[in-house]
Amino acid sequence: MKYYGPSIPPGRAQYLRFLIIAVALLTTLSVAVFWVLRGIQKQVNKRLASSLQTVLHATDKALQNWAEQNLNDLRVLASDDDLSDGVEAQLRLSRDRSALLHTPALESIRKRLGATLRTGHYVGFSVIAPDGFEIATSSDDAIGTRHIAEQIPTLLPRIMAGASVLELPHGSAFFLPGPSDRRYPVVPAATPIRDRNERVVAALVCYIDPQGEFTDTIRLGRFESTGETYAFDRDGRFLTETRFMEYLRNIGLVSPSESALAIFVRDPLGNIVEAYRPNGRRDLPLTQMARTAIQGQAGMDLNGYTDYRGAPVIGAWLWDSKLGMGLATEMEVAEAHAPARRIRILSVTMLLLIAAVMIALVIMVRQRAGLLAQEAVKAREELMSIVAHDLRNPINAIVVRSHILMGRLRNSGENEELRRQMESINRTAYQMNALLSDLTDLARLEAGRLLVELRESSLDETLQTAIDTIRPLMNEKDIQFQAQIAENLPRASIDRGRISQVLDNLLGNAVKFTPARGRIGMQVEPLDGKIQFCISDTGRGIPPEALPHVFEQHWQLRAGREGMGLGLFIAKTLVEAHQGQIWVQSAVNEGTKFYFTLPALESIPHNPTHPTSVLTAARV
């Protein structure tokens, strides 16, 4: 068993170095976390935009298909010759109500249309003469009136010109009795009635119950717990009931007898969901969405705006000129951004936890800076143990959670960019774990307590583990790797974990400084009673003036290169603890070769069943 390193107390320079390293770690992690969170938010917004547009346009297309199908059915219904003959007979009568009632022509019309009305989704009909009088209806009440011509003055001229028209849901005379004395609007669908000479002689208007397919089609646009799609007219009046209709009735904003036409897409100037109650509804301004849609402009807002309840929502909207109505798909902001918010809270919490640990660590180190030499050394080692424990817990939590999210994203086959960003978090946390190991070893080394246990061992498993560990990083950069390991290598007396640490460091450096599609080699062979290792790469190389310093502590940091400059220093210490040697050969633009040797078993007096005790070596 060997404790390696000098007993030199950590002075002010040691404290400052540690403070710089802690700040660098925290800054690196902070930048990485916030960069990834920004990417996640972009991906979430992209997914939300795609979902809103898909629901909105699918609903609009379904409504257009529904309207066209109804008009086609109505055209077929109006093309019946017997119906045309009955209408012409009724047209020849006076417009007096008593003259139009109880006529054979009226009975014939009702008989022709009644069977269709009973099997379809129509709830009534009217036949309108060119002068606007209703000469035949499904009930006697409207015979001889001009209700439709007066309520929808633009309808009859279009029908007499040969067009088929489906109007928006209307109130007025077209209400139907519903449950609990509530009255519902109807959708008038109209088409011309032609005589046998194809001349337009009247208009056939059938009334469709909007609580059927019209409402069901729009209800398909509801998703999650707050997402909904709804339609509105040019006045901002709702044409279908919202998913929050019962809530609006329960709080008294809509009476039990009122239909959806009593609700307007207006900004209540306060959040009704949070107990706010507006004084009036009709004098309120249209919502931003409704105002834009009525002007004929499609749009989307993922930042959030207030809906007709005053609740913050995201949404997409359009104006359908064919149907003459607006469509909006909305979802509450809180629900829409919940996944990104949970990830953000988790990441920031972990970051704050790490910052708190680091602040506590710096304070503790500062308080112990004035202790006597042996007390300071002991405190330094104990402190680093606390750091390793307290920091690894939150970092490992980040590793585990990011790994779970990566697995879910990989299994779903979606959000490739989001998966790559989660992999970046995973790699950053993994690198921080490696940095923590270096810091811990450095503290033990300076305290003269770096433990190395030498046991008789074969190198095959250690070499394979090192290769398997570094291979994913080489694959990411498409680096070609070639290992030349001599057969029947002699056994050695080593600490397998420490030699793996040396190999991981040298191979990791080779990957770090080798460009994409470069080459890395590892050669292991017996040589003069020793086992020689060579790790080579095709990186940018090391300038001649820098070669004497590569194994110095913090040399990389002083040279402005990546990392903290601890890896090679610790690697040299560990190799020398095994009575080996380590050196480097390199030239600019010619790559780098790191060599180190270990004594073969025959050259080392040892007991293969017990650890070997080695004297403390001098500090490098």
Side-chain angles (χ1 to χ4, degrees):
M1 185 178 297
K2 178 181 184 180
Y3 291 97
Y4 193 83
S7 297
I8 298 178
R12 182 176 180 82
Q14 300 279 8
Y15 165 72
L16 290 177
R17 279 202 299 269
F18 185 81
L19 178 62
I20 292 172
I21 292 170
V23 172
L25 285 172
L26 184 59
T27 302
T28 300
L29 183 59
S30 300
V31 171
V33 167
F34 284 107
W35 178 75
V36 171
L37 288 177
R38 182 179 178 184
I40 290 174
Q41 188 62 58
K42 288 182 179 179
Q43 289 298 315
V44 169
N45 287 345
K46 184 178 179 180
R47 177 182 61 83
L48 288 173
S50 176
S51 299
L52 291 172
Q53 290 284 12
T54 299
V55 172
L56 180 67
H57 290 288
T59 303
D60 184 43
K61 185 64 176 178
L63 286 175
Q64 291 182 4
N65 292 339
W66 171 82
E68 188 59 33
Q69 183 61 47
N70 275 280
L71 291 178
N72 288 337
D73 293 344
L74 199 61
R75 293 186 189 100
V76 172
L77 192 63
S79 64
D80 183 85
D81 288 340
D82 291 337
L83 174 65
S84 177
D85 292 342
V87 169
E88 289 191 76
Q90 197 77 348
L91 284 170
R92 288 191 288 268
L93 301 175
S94 70
R95 300 299 182 259
D96 182 70
R97 173 181 170 81
S98 59
L100 295 171
L101 283 169
H102 310 300
T103 65
L106 178 60
E107 293 301 320
S108 174
I109 293 172
R110 288 178 173 175
K111 181 178 180 180
R112 292 290 179 186
L113 297 178
T116 301
L117 294 176
R118 284 192 297 270
T119 59
H121 51 275
Y122 300 109
V123 293
F125 74 89
S126 292
V127 177
I128 307 175
D131 55 10
F133 282 91
E134 299 180 38
I135 59 174
T137 63
S138 51
S139 64
D140 293 344
D141 294 341
I143 292 287
T145 68
R146 301 182 77 253
H147 286 317
I148 297 179
E150 293 171 354
Q151 294 295 330
I152 316 177
T154 61
L155 178 63
L156 187 59
R158 286 184 288 169
I159 304 305
M160 298 306 296
S164 296
V165 177
L166 188 141
E167 284 287 334
L168 298 178
H170 281 70
S172 67
F174 310 125
F175 275 76
L176 301 172
S180 304
D181 296 327
R182 190 181 299 160
R183 299 172 68 82
Y184 294 91
V186 294
V187 177
T191 194
I193 298 178
R194 304 175 186 271
D195 62 14
R196 295 180 182 270
N197 295 321
E198 293 300 317
R199 292 176 301 181
V200 177
V201 296
L204 172 62
V205 181
C206 288
Y207 308 127
I208 303 171
D209 182 359
Q211 298 302 310
E213 293 182 8
F214 181 78
T215 297
D216 290 343
T217 299
I218 294 182
R219 276 183 181 150
L220 293 176
R222 295 179 180 178
F223 52 98
E224 302 297 341
S225 60
T226 61
E228 67 166 336
T229 300
Y230 55 86
F232 51 92
D233 63 14
R234 287 198 174 276
D235 295 326
R237 188 196 309 266
F238 268 82
L239 300 178
T240 56
E241 291 194 352
T242 80
R243 71 181 306 164
F244 304 107
M245 194 71 176
E246 287 304 315
Y247 173 77
L248 297 178
R249 289 194 176 106
N250 291 337
I251 63 176
L253 291 182
V254 181
S255 68
S257 62
E258 288 181 310
S259 70
L261 295 182
I263 306 175
F264 289 82
V265 192
R266 298 184 180 277
D267 188 347
L269 305 180
N271 195 333
I272 295 175
V273 180
E274 297 178 352
Y276 170 79
R277 298 294 179 265
N279 295 326
R281 297 203 304 264
R282 296 178 183 271
D283 297 332
L284 296 171
L286 292 171
T287 66
Q288 166 195 328
M289 177 279 300
R291 184 170 59 253
T292 304
I294 291 172
Q295 293 172 354
Q297 301 176 12
M300 177 184 297
D301 190 333
L302 298 179
N303 295 321
Y305 60 93
T306 53
D307 68 354
Y308 58 94
R309 299 169 298 146
V313 297
I314 63 170
W317 57 87
L318 58 81
W319 183 263
D320 190 321
S321 56
K322 291 183 179 180
L323 298 177
M325 67 180 186
L327 272 178
T329 299
E330 295 176 338
M331 185 180 189
E332 289 188 6
V333 169
E335 184 176 25
H337 293 295
R341 185 172 62 254
R342 285 193 290 268
I343 295 176
R344 184 166 57 251
I345 291 174
L346 172 64
S347 300
V348 172
T349 300
M350 293 300 177
L351 188 61
L352 291 177
L353 178 60
I354 294 173
V357 172
M358 286 187 171
I359 291 172
L361 174 62
V362 171
I363 293 174
M364 294 173 68
V365 172
R366 187 68 183 92
Q367 290 175 345
R368 287 162 174 77
L371 297 178
L372 296 176
Q374 293 300 326
E375 294 176 349
V377 169
K378 182 179 178 180
R380 175 71 174 267
E381 184 182 11
E382 292 175 351
L383 187 59
M384 287 309 303
S385 297
I386 295 173
V387 174
H389 178 270
D390 289 346
L391 277 180
R392 278 196 178 100
N393 284 338
I395 292 174
N396 286 335
I398 295 175
V399 172
V400 171
R401 284 165 173 79
S402 62
H403 183 74
I404 292 173
L405 290 174
M406 284 161 51
R408 291 181 178 175
L409 292 171
R410 189 180 299 111
N411 292 335
S412 67
E414 299 178 353
N415 291 330
E416 183 63 22
E417 178 61 24
L418 181 57
R419 183 183 66 80
R420 289 196 294 268
Q421 292 170 353
M422 292 308 304
E423 289 176 346
S424 176
I425 282 185
N426 188 268
R427 286 195 300 271
T428 300
Y430 179 83
Q431 291 169 357
M432 288 193 67
N433 260 330
L435 292 175
L436 283 175
S437 296
D438 285 347
L439 286 172
T440 304
D441 286 343
L442 178 63
R444 291 173 180 170
L445 179 62
E446 292 178 338
R449 297 175 60 86
L450 184 63
L451 179 63
V452 177
E453 293 186 347
L454 303 180
R455 294 181 183 274
E456 180 182 340
S457 177
S458 169
L459 290 170
D460 293 341
E461 184 176 348
T462 302
L463 292 171
Q464 188 60 51
T465 299
I467 293 172
D468 292 342
T469 300
I470 203 67
R471 192 178 297 278
L473 296 178
M474 291 189 290
N475 291 340
E476 286 184 2
K477 297 179 68 173
D478 196 19
I479 292 175
Q480 180 181 352
F481 177 73
Q482 183 176 12
Q484 296 179 351
I485 302 174
E487 296 182 358
N488 301 322
L489 285 172
R491 296 171 68 82
S493 184
I494 63 172
D495 185 324
R496 292 174 58 180
R498 294 302 185 181
I499 295 302
S500 293
Q501 187 175 351
V502 173
L503 290 170
D504 288 346
N505 182 274
L506 296 179
L507 288 170
N509 275 353
V511 172
K512 183 191 302 183
F513 297 111
T514 299
R517 294 180 295 280
R519 296 189 307 276
I520 293 176
M522 181 172 71
Q523 184 176 4
V524 185
E525 60 183 351
L527 182 66
D528 300 329
K530 302 177 182 179
I531 304 171
Q532 179 172 285
F533 300 74
C534 177
I535 308 298
S536 61
D537 63 61
T538 58
R540 57 181 177 264
I542 304 173
E545 64 272 16
L547 286 175
H549 306 288
V550 295
F551 295 107
E552 293 179 358
Q553 184 178 350
H554 301 302
W555 172 76
Q556 286 186 336
L557 182 62
R558 291 199 303 271
R561 302 172 73 176
E562 299 176 1
M564 296 187 301
L566 296 177
L568 291 176
F569 168 72
I570 294 173
K572 182 177 187 295
T573 302
L574 294 176
V575 169
E576 292 180 347
H578 285 77
Q579 300 178 22
Q581 294 179 318
I582 187 169
W583 67 96
V584 61
Q585 293 179 357
S586 183
V588 176
N589 298 325
E590 294 184 9
T592 302
K593 291 182 179 181
F594 278 93
Y595 294 89
F596 72 93
T597 62
L598 297 175
L601 189 61
E602 292 77 7
S603 65
I604 304 176
H606 67 283
N607 186 331
T609 60
H610 297 284
T612 299
S613 179
V614 182
L615 294 177
T616 299
R619 179 174 178 178
V620 178

